[in-house]
């Protein structure tokens, strides 16, 4: 009887150990995080379309976010990012994008996306100009569970 109890306890301990190390749970969690990031990207794009570039980039920025723009200029902090996009040349511009890839950190608290974007604006003569390229965004999970970009 004593050996049976020991065998059951050993089996139970082994089962719990293997179950807790199971990659299925981790994979399922990372898949869920990946879906959160894709939704955040779409919400970000929708906010930019509805409220303007300055407001969208402001709302989805971490307080210490950094964006890199023309001539390798770094704009640091969400207020500075908003001010950058309040420049009159961006007021009538639009931007669309879609992530082609999402990478999640092992801890599930950081992520990055990249994909294609298209900026549409008008030049001084009123002619529509479209600029296309590739974006790369780094996301950080916030204390409230939301995602904000720290690099764009």
């Amino acid at each position: 009887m004593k050996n049976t109890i020991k065998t059951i306890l050993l089996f139970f301990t082994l089962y719990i150990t293997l179950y807790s190390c199971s990659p299925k749970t981790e994979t399922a969690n990372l898949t869920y995080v990946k879906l959160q990031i894709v939704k955040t990207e779409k919400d970000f794009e929708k906010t930019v379309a509805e409220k303007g570039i300055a407001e969208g980039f402001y709302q989805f920025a971490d307080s210490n976010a950094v964006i890199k723009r023309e001539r390798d200029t770094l704009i640091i902090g969400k207020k500075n990012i908003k001010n950058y996009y309040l420049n009159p040349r961006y007021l009538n511009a639009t931007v669309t994008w879609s992530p082609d890839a999402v990478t999640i950190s092992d801890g599930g608290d950081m992520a990055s996306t990249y994909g294609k974007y298209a900026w549409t604006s008008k030049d001084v003569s009123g002619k529509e100009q479209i600029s296309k390229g590739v974006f790369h965004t780094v996301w950080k999970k916030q204390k409230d569970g939301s995602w904000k970009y720290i690099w764009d």
Side-chain angles (χ1 to χ4, degrees), residues 7-20:
T7 303
I8 290 172
L9 285 174
L10 180 63
F11 177 77
F12 183 73
T13 303
L14 182 62
Y15 175 77
I16 294 297
T17 302
L18 290 174
Y19 182 78
S20 67

Side-chain angles (χ1 to χ4, degrees), residues 23-70:
K24 293 177 198 169
T25 304
E26 185 177 309
T27 301
N29 185 45
L30 293 180
T31 300
Y32 175 72
V33 173
K34 187 179 271 191
L35 292 173
Q36 285 182 318
I37 294 299
V38 170
K39 181 181 182 321
T40 300
E41 282 279 8
K42 288 297 161 199
D43 291 346
F44 183 16
E45 183 184 35
K46 182 179 178 186
T47 301
V48 165
E50 292 175 354
K51 297 184 177 182
I53 295 169
E55 188 60 30
F57 272 79
Y58 178 78
Q59 284 186 20
F60 283 82
D62 180 85
S63 60
N64 298 310
V66 178
I67 62 173
K68 178 183 164 205
R69 293 303 182 257
E70 66 273 346

Side-chain angles (χ1 to χ4, degrees), residues 1-9:
M1 178 78 167
K2 216 174 194 185
N3 283 340
T4 305
I5 293 174
K6 282 184 179 181
T7 303
I8 290 172
L9 285 174

